């Protein structure tokens, strides 16, 4: 926390406000500069980095700046100068006050010391002995277990989190092959599609370390879209942008009750949605055989019976009967 306090002071916060912003950082992310949470709803967005700077309300802040603690505090100072601390919900709801004592101590310590860029703050960045930067803005780890520790909390709360890692850096850096499955850009994966894939046994490539799908596009592949009113329990729901997904567990009038793994809600939740898309299992269309266009043969009218032939038959039968009678005298 002392290093975060130093970043706050260097960004321009005075001591009193530095205490507040550091307390906010710990209330928002626990001091994790890689924290990333997805917000569903009317304006889908991401809360990014140690200060959880929102990608919708503050789109001017790049992912690189949001996930870098130095620039994150600089951006936070700019936001504070324009709008105060009310941009952070943990300030408006008072959650930050739980961390004020620790933040005050950290700011007092940081005021009399300084850190060099070469230092790696253990409270903000992972231990360099077990991790290394990879793929531009991600972190790779020496072991699978170490990578698992950094799987987002809401993914852990949804279950199936131990396989939410890749060892795709083994050729670039054999000492740090593992990382948490990424999302888009510098973000970590959210886990919503991964949870659906485990529930419905959907495997795909790329997938988690057990082969289950990890993207929304993968879990709806091969399914057909139907109107919400035609959706049924067990179908897959996605938002309109197909960036979030879940499984339909109840169908109402023009709305669906969906179970989904939500970063915004911190785990596995059930929510009513009146918008979005519904994806049902695809069924083979029935092909109707068209009526034949070939000319049908005309019916042949039955022939009139041959009266002479009939008469001959009866005469033959009569002769046979007379012969049999003669045998018995």
């Amino acid at each position: 926390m002392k290093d975060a306090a130093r970043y706050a002071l260097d960004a321009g916060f005075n001591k009193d406000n530095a205490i507040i912003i550091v307390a906010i950082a710990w209330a928002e992310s626990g001091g994790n500069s890689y924290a990333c949470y997805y917000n569903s709803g009317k304006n889908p967005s991401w809360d990014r980095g140690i200060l959880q700077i929102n990608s919708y309300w503050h789109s001017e802040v790049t992912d690189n700046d949001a996930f870098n603690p130095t620039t994150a505090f600089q951006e936070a100072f700019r936001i504070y100068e324009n709008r105060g601390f009310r941009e952070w919900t943990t300030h408006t709801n008072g959650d930050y006050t739980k961390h004020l004592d620790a933040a005050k101590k950290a700011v007092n310590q940081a005021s009399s010391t300084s850190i060099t860029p070469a230092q790696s703050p253990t409270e903000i960045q992972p231990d360099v002995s077990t991790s290394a930067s990879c793929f531009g803005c991600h972190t790779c780890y020496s072991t699978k277990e170490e990578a698992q520790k950094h799987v987002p909390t809401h993914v852990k709360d949804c279950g199936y989190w131990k396989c939410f890692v890749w060892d795709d850096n083994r050729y670039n850096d054999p000492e740090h092959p593992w990382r948490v499955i990424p999302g888009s850009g510098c973000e970590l994966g959210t886990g919503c599609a991964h949870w659906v894939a485990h529930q419905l046994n959907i495997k795909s490539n790329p997938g988690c370390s057990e082969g289950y799908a990890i993207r929304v596009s993968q879990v709806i592949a091969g399914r057909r879209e139907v109107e919400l009113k035609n959706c049924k329990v067990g179908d897959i729901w996605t938002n309109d942008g197909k960036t979030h997904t879940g499984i339909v567990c109840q169908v109402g009038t023009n709305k669906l009750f969906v179970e989904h793994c939500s970063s915004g809600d911190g785990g596995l939740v059930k929510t009513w949605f009146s918008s979005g898309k519904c994806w049902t299992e695809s069924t083979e269309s029935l092909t109707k055989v068209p009526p034949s266009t070939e000319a049908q043969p005309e019916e042949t009218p039955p022939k009139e019976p041959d009266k002479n032939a009939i008469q001959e038959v009866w005469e033959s039968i009569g002769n046979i009967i007379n012969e049999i009678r003669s045998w018995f005298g």
Side-chain angles (χ1 to χ4, degrees):
M1 186 178 280
K2 183 180 73 174
D3 297 323
R6 183 71 263 166
Y7 292 134
L9 292 168
D10 289 346
F13 288 100
N14 61 34
K15 285 185 65 174
D16 290 340
N17 287 334
I19 293 171
I20 294 174
I21 195 64
V22 170
I24 288 173
W26 254 251
E28 290 281 343
S29 69
N32 181 6
S33 61
Y34 300 106
C36 186
Y37 296 99
Y38 177 76
N39 302 296
S40 59
K42 183 179 179 181
N43 300 309
S45 62
W46 294 89
D47 294 332
R48 305 164 294 170
I50 188 171
L51 284 158
Q52 295 290 274
I53 299 174
N54 186 267
S55 63
Y56 178 82
W57 298 110
H58 294 287
S59 58
E60 76 280 3
V61 180
T62 66
D63 286 342
N64 285 338
D65 286 343
F67 288 109
N68 182 318
T70 301
T71 52
F73 277 97
Q74 292 171 357
E75 292 291 350
F77 182 68
R78 178 185 59 79
I79 294 170
Y80 162 75
E81 285 194 310
N82 290 316
R83 300 184 60 83
F85 290 119
R86 64 179 179 272
E87 291 293 275
W88 288 275
T89 56
T90 54
H91 182 268
T92 56
N93 65 21
D95 283 351
Y96 81 104
T97 58
K98 302 173 185 177
H99 306 279
L100 281 175
D101 289 342
K104 183 177 181 179
K105 181 179 179 181
V107 170
N108 287 335
Q109 291 175 340
S111 298
S112 57
T113 59
S114 62
I115 61 174
T116 64
Q119 287 179 287
S120 177
T122 56
E123 294 163 311
I124 298 177
Q125 299 179 4
D127 184 351
V128 294
S129 64
T130 60
S131 66
S133 178
C134 62
F135 299 99
C137 56
H138 287 283
T139 301
C140 289
Y141 303 91
S142 57
T143 65
K144 182 177 183 180
E145 291 72 20
E146 188 66 28
Q148 288 171 338
K149 293 178 183 178
H150 296 84
V151 171
T153 301
H154 77 278
V155 177
K156 292 182 178 179
D157 290 343
C158 293
Y160 311 117
W161 59 274
K162 289 187 176 181
C163 58
F164 201 67
V165 290
W166 280 344
D167 63 341
D168 59 340
N169 196 42
R170 58 187 180 277
Y171 300 115
N172 299 324
D173 183 358
E175 294 184 359
H176 302 94
W178 291 93
R179 64 168 170 159
V180 179
I181 291 177
S184 60
C186 294
E187 301 152 357
L188 298 180
T190 65
C192 61
H194 182 244
W195 177 81
V196 170
H198 270 275
Q199 291 294 304
L200 301 181
N201 195 31
I202 301 172
K203 294 196 173 184
S204 186
N205 185 24
C208 68
S209 60
E210 293 182 1
Y212 288 92
I214 57 173
R215 302 286 186 250
V216 175
S217 59
Q218 293 174 320
V219 297
I220 63 174
R223 289 177 172 253
R224 58 189 177 89
E225 183 181 351
V226 297
E227 295 183 18
L228 295 189
K229 65 181 181 180
N230 296 325
C231 204
K232 62 183 185 297
V233 173
D235 284 345
I236 295 176
W237 170 90
T238 67
N239 61 0
D240 289 327
K242 291 185 282 190
T243 57
H244 190 56
T245 186
I247 298 176
V248 177
C249 52
Q250 187 176 339
V251 179
T253 304
N254 297 321
K255 60 182 180 180
L256 302 174
F257 199 44
V258 178
E259 188 170 19
H260 56 115
C261 183
S262 169
S263 57
D265 294 309
L268 193 61
V269 295
K270 293 181 179 179
T271 309
W272 282 105
F273 290 104
S274 57
S275 63
K277 301 177 183 292
C278 181
W279 305 85
T280 192
E281 287 187 299
S282 181
T283 55
E284 294 183 2
S285 59
L286 298 176
T287 304
K288 293 184 178 180
V289 179
S292 175
T293 57
E294 295 182 4
Q296 299 296 320
E298 295 182 1
E299 291 187 9
T300 304
K303 294 182 179 180
E304 291 289 334
D306 188 338
K307 294 181 179 180
N308 292 331
I310 294 174
Q311 182 65 34
E312 291 177 357
V313 170
W314 280 113
E315 289 179 355
S316 297
I317 294 173
N319 293 333
I320 293 172
I321 293 173
N322 290 331
E323 185 175 353
I324 293 173
R325 285 176 177 173
S326 65
W327 293 347
F328 296 97

